[in-house]
Amino acid sequence: QAQLVESGGGLVQPGGSLRLSCVASGLSLNVYAIGWFRQAPGKGREGVSSIGGSDGTTRYSDSVKGRFTVSRDIAKNTAYLQMNNLTPEDTAVYYCAAGFPFTFVPGFISPEDEFDFWGQGTQVTVSS
């Protein structure tokens, strides 16, 4: 059974950095794409980044482009989201998801219903 486990969240000051990890089991990251989503209090879930399964193509939403970097380690079956220059607007629960997304629009991440497996989420709080 496929499982995704996120870690690395926490409290950070504005301008700081965090790296989130997403460890996958029961599926392979060289087959499944990984999407990173976030949900702030009172808001809907927003896709922020993704990395393709077969080709490793990376995508970013306009809201994080230039600040966030997605990567993966196939040997460890783990995906990462490096988040730099964080602002209070980045405060949210961050989720990783695996699937075969097929909708690609520049500046946006594929819809969440195109991802099949989800982690439990990790809280990121940006505050002074």
Side-chain angles (χ1 to χ4, degrees), residues 14-32:
S17 299
L18 282 175
R19 188 177 80 156
L20 305 183
S21 299
C22 172
V23 179
S25 58
L27 58 87
S28 296
L29 295 194
N30 60 351
V31 175
Y32 281 78

Side-chain angles (χ1 to χ4, degrees), residues 59-62 65 103-109:
R59 295 180 170 86
Y60 301 93
S61 67
D62 286 342
K65 192 175 299 182
T103 302
F104 303 109
V105 177
F108 294 89
I109 304 305

